[in-house]
Amino acid sequence: MYSPLVMEHFRNPRNVGELLDADGVGQVGNPVCGDVMKMMIKVEKDRIVNIKFQTFGCGAAIATSSIATEMVKGKTLGEAMELSNKAVAEALGGLPATKMHCSNLAADGIHKAIEDYKSKRETKKA
Amino acid sequence: MQRLIYMDHAATTPVSPEVLEVMLPYFSQKYGNPSSVYSLAQEARQAIEAARQTCAEVLGASSREIIFDSGGTESDNTAIKGAVFALQEQGKHIITSAIEHHAVLETCRSLEKLGFEVTYLPVDKHGLVKVEDVEKAITDKTTLITIMLANNEVGTIEPIAEIGQVVKQARKKLPNLVFHTDAVQGAGALDLNVDKLGVDMLSLAAHKFYGPKGMGLLYVRRGVPFMSQQRGGSQERNRRAGTENVPGIVGMAEALKLAEEKRSAYVEHCSKLRDRLIRGVATMEQSFLTGHPVLRLANNASFCFEYVEGESILLSLDFEGVAASSGSACTSASLEASHVLTAMGIPEEVAHSSIRFTLGWDNTEEDMDYVLRILPGIVKRLRAMSPLTAEAKKNV
C-alpha cells in the first residue's frame, strides 16, 4: 500500500515533538475527520531554524508530516510557503490516491504556522 | 521473517485443508456442468445436491430452501430485493438496523430511491437492537425486517430469536411479513437453526468459516414470497441463474459441516483467547472494549485506543507480524469512520482509534500474550506523537 520511504518516515519520523516557545503554530484537520496535524516553527532572520510536528492520523499523515518538516527546515519563509502537497507526495515516492489529502494537510499546516508567525509579528509591531 | 499472527478472521479465513481436498477434484477432473446430460456432468450434479443437503441439515432446513450464490453480499442483496419486490403490492416498508453490513444498508438505500421506505433502527451503546423497537416500527405496510445475527465490527449478538417471536405475532395481521437475518458472522459460532431463530431467510458466506471466497448461500423458507434477482438459466430452481460453482459449493458444504461439528470447541477455544486479550487491554490507559461485554461473538475483541488513529496502529502491528483491522476513516474506502461505532454513540474522533482483533483456530495463548506485550509500546509511541494527547492533558 505504501512506498518504502513512506514506511521509513512512519517508523522513524523526523522532528516529532513540541516547541514550547514556538514563533508560529499551525494546526490543521480535525479529529472528526481522523487527521490532525500541528506544526510548530522557530524563525530567525526569515528562516525556519527549527520545526516540530505532532500528528493524529494514518501512516500517510505521519509520513507526510515528517518529510514536510525536513523539506522546510533551514529554508526561508518564502521557500516554505511554496511547498506544495504534490511535492510532499513526490518526495515520499508517491501516495495512494485516497491518501493524497494527507499530503495537503502537511503543507497546509506549515503554511498556517508561517501565517501565525507573521500575524504575531504584526501584532507586536502594532 | 517471523510467523504471521493473523487476527482478522472476521474479514476472512484460510480455506482449511479438508475443505481444499474435497474441492480439488471438481476443478479439472469432475469438471462437468451440472446441467448437462452425460455422466461427467451428473457426477457434478450429485455432488452439489449432496452439498445442498449437508447445508440444509446444518440450518435445520430442507434442500429446496437452499440457494447457492456468490457470497454474503449477493445473499443479502437477493434476500432483501427478492422479498420486497415480490411483496410490493402489499407495502413498501422495510425495517433494518443502523449497524448492518454495507451489503444490507446499500441495498436498502438503493430501494429508498425506488420509493421504498426504510426504518433504520438505532442501537444502544453496546450495539444491541431493542426488540421493542422492532415491534413498534412495524406498520401495515411493512413487508421485510432484516437484522443481522451478530455484528462484524464489535461482535454484538442480536436478539434474533426474540425478534422472531415478535414477527410471529405480527404475522397474525401481516401474514406475508418476511424476517431475514444476515448470519455471515455467526457461522461456526452460533446456532443457525432457522426454526430456533424464527427467520424466513438467512445469508451465509463461506470464506468466513474456513471455506472458499466467492461462495455463499441464501436460505429461503418454503412459501415465503420471493422474486429471483438473477435471471438466465433455470439453475437453483429458477431462483438464481448461472452455472453452479461446483468446487465452491462442495467446499462450502464441507466447511459448514465442520464448523457446526466443531462449534462448541471453537467457542471454547476462541472465547478463552478473546477474554485473555480483553483482560490484558483493560489494564491499558484510555483504552476500552467496544460492543456488548457478554452478548458478543466468541472470537471478537474490539477496542478503541484514544488519541491514536487506527491505521497507524495496524501498520505498527503489521511490522511486528500481527494482522488486525480498524473502523477508522483512513482504513475505509469511503473515508468515513465506522457507521457501527458512531451508531453506538462513540464520537467520530474516538471511532477513528478503533482496532478489531478477531481470532480463529490458528491463534494461541502465546499470540495473545505477544500482542499484549507489543500493544502498549505501539500505543505509547503514537500517543507521544499525537496533538490530542497533549490537549487532553490540558483539559484535565
Side-chain angles (χ1 to χ4, degrees):
Chain A
M1 185 169 82
Y2 286 133
S3 73
L5 202 46
V6 171
M7 291 316 261
E8 163 57 25
H9 275 272
F10 172 73
R11 297 190 76 175
N12 301 299
R14 297 29 170 174
N15 305 309
V16 180
E18 280 190 285
L19 282 177
L20 296 170
D21 58 342
D23 295 320
V25 177
Q27 184 154 317
V28 288
N30 69 74
V32 172
C33 288
D35 276 304
V36 181
M37 287 175 195
K38 187 174 176 182
M39 293 287 181
M40 295 149 273
I41 56 175
K42 277 222 66 75
V43 182
E44 263 167 43
K45 293 199 173 88
D46 199 48
R47 246 173 230 283
I48 296 176
V49 295
N50 202 358
I51 176 167
K52 294 269 188 228
F53 83 89
Q54 282 184 321
T55 291
F56 162 84
C58 59
I62 291 169
T64 52
S65 302
S66 167
I67 206 169
T69 61
E70 275 198 322
M71 291 169 85
V72 300
K73 198 170 184 177
K75 296 278 190 318
T76 66
L77 297 182
E79 286 165 335
M81 283 304 286
E82 307 262 283
L83 180 71
S84 71
N85 57 302
K86 194 162 163 257
V88 173
E90 272 171 15
L92 282 170
L95 286 174
T98 51
K99 300 292 185 182
M100 284 302 287
H101 74 281
C102 298
S103 61
N104 269 344
L105 290 185
D108 287 354
I110 289 170
H111 298 162
K112 229 178 155 186
I114 294 171
E115 303 293 346
D116 182 51
Y117 161 76
K118 284 181 177 167
S119 76
K120 280 185 175 138
R121 267 185 45 178
E122 290 302 310
T123 325
K124 276 194 201 144
K125 280 182 190 168
Chain B
M1 173 148 163
Q2 66 171 90
R3 177 184 155 251
L4 166 69
I5 296 173
Y6 183 75
M7 293 169 70
D8 200 21
H9 293 83
T12 196
T13 55
V15 173
S16 64
E18 303 97 314
V19 170
L20 187 57
E21 206 189 313
V22 302
M23 289 174 71
L24 286 176
Y26 296 93
F27 285 108
S28 307
Q29 294 153 277
K30 303 183 187 178
Y31 58 86
N33 182 323
S35 302
S36 301
V37 166
Y38 36 83
S39 330
L40 182 73
Q42 288 308 302
E43 232 181 332
R45 164 60 58 192
Q46 276 157 31
I48 67 174
E49 294 314 318
R52 196 184 306 277
Q53 180 56 29
T54 300
C55 294
E57 275 163 22
V58 171
L59 299 182
S62 72
S63 277
R64 55 188 292 133
E65 295 172 317
I66 305 294
I67 301 173
F68 291 127
D69 61 25
S70 66
T73 295
E74 184 184 337
S75 292
D76 285 346
N77 270 260
T78 302
I80 295 167
K81 291 190 275 195
V84 304
F85 286 136
L87 290 166
Q88 59 185 319
E89 298 302 313
Q90 292 179 35
K92 291 175 104 171
H93 177 233
I94 300 165
I95 300 171
T96 187
S97 85
I99 62 164
E100 299 297 309
H101 187 273
H102 287 299
V104 168
L105 293 177
E106 287 302 316
T107 304
C108 288
R109 284 180 197 133
S110 73
L111 289 168
E112 280 180 302
K113 295 202 176 108
L114 295 175
F116 286 82
E117 200 200 309
V118 182
T119 299
Y120 299 92
L121 294 174
V123 292
D124 69 10
K125 64 178 182 182
H126 295 308
L128 267 181
V129 171
K130 291 204 187 82
V131 182
E132 315 89 77
D133 287 351
V134 178
E135 200 170 3
K136 276 188 252 171
I138 299 173
T139 72
D140 56 3
K141 296 289 177 202
T142 309
T143 52
L144 173 72
I145 299 173
T146 171
I147 307 285
M148 65 200 326
L149 179 57
N151 183 266
N152 51 307
E153 291 196 38
V154 298
T156 301
I157 300 169
E158 303 299 335
I160 298 303
E162 289 94 323
I163 296 172
Q165 287 302 312
V166 163
V167 172
K168 197 174 169 191
Q169 288 304 309
R171 262 203 275 267
K172 291 177 180 165
K173 289 199 180 145
L174 295 169
N176 287 321
L177 185 58
V178 178
F179 181 28
H180 165 256
T181 187
D182 172 355
V184 166
Q185 292 293 327
L190 302 172
D191 191 346
L192 298 178
N193 183 289
V194 291
D195 291 336
K196 286 189 196 158
L197 293 175
V199 296
D200 302 306
M201 295 170 130
L202 180 147
S203 305
L204 287 179
H207 75 107
K208 307 289 189 182
F209 50 91
Y210 302 90
K213 293 176 182 61
M215 191 65 229
L217 75 77
L218 175 63
Y219 157 78
V220 180
R221 187 179 289 274
R222 188 171 180 177
V224 166
F226 174 82
M227 188 170 119
S228 170
Q229 294 303 302
Q230 181 149 308
R231 303 299 174 125
S234 60
Q235 292 91 349
E236 299 303 294
R237 301 171 69 241
N238 279 305
R239 307 186 119 188
R240 195 266 186 186
T243 302
E244 300 91 339
N245 176 355
V246 182
I249 290 168
V250 169
M252 178 170 69
E254 182 70 13
L256 190 59
K257 184 186 96 183
L258 290 170
E260 181 58 18
E261 275 168 13
K262 300 188 208 174
R263 183 153 55 90
S264 32
Y266 172 85
V267 167
E268 203 195 313
H269 170 83
C270 289
S271 48
K272 263 211 276 213
L273 300 178
R274 172 200 65 186
D275 294 343
R276 196 179 181 92
L277 198 54
I278 291 175
R279 277 195 305 272
V281 171
T283 67
M284 290 174 65
E285 283 174 16
Q286 259 76 51
S287 308
F288 59 91
L289 182 73
T290 53
H292 201 281
V294 176
L295 297 170
R296 75 181 299 123
L297 286 173
N299 74 337
N300 183 306
S302 53
F303 309 98
C304 283
F305 298 98
E306 291 191 89
Y307 320 129
V308 182
E309 188 274 337
E311 194 209 85
S312 57
I313 300 177
L314 295 181
L315 285 176
S316 307
L317 285 170
D318 184 38
F319 284 131
E320 312 286 346
V322 177
S325 81
S326 166
S328 82
C330 292
T331 57
S332 91
S334 67
L335 297 181
E336 281 169 9
S338 154
H339 65 286
V340 174
L341 297 176
T342 50
M344 286 160 57
I346 293 173
E348 262 162 315
E349 56 262 36
V350 180
H352 293 310
S353 66
S354 61
I355 297 292
R356 178 190 72 179
F357 297 104
T358 43
L359 316 168
W361 281 115
D362 52 323
N363 292 126
T364 63
E365 256 180 31
E366 288 75 33
D367 290 345
M368 301 305 109
D369 292 344
Y370 178 76
V371 170
L372 290 170
R373 269 203 307 280
I374 63 173
L375 199 50
I378 288 171
V379 172
K380 188 175 172 190
R381 178 184 98 98
L382 293 167
R383 273 187 185 150
M385 260 194 252
S386 166
L388 304 185
T389 321
E391 266 172 45
K393 285 198 183 129
K394 278 186 209 154
N395 292 336
V396 163

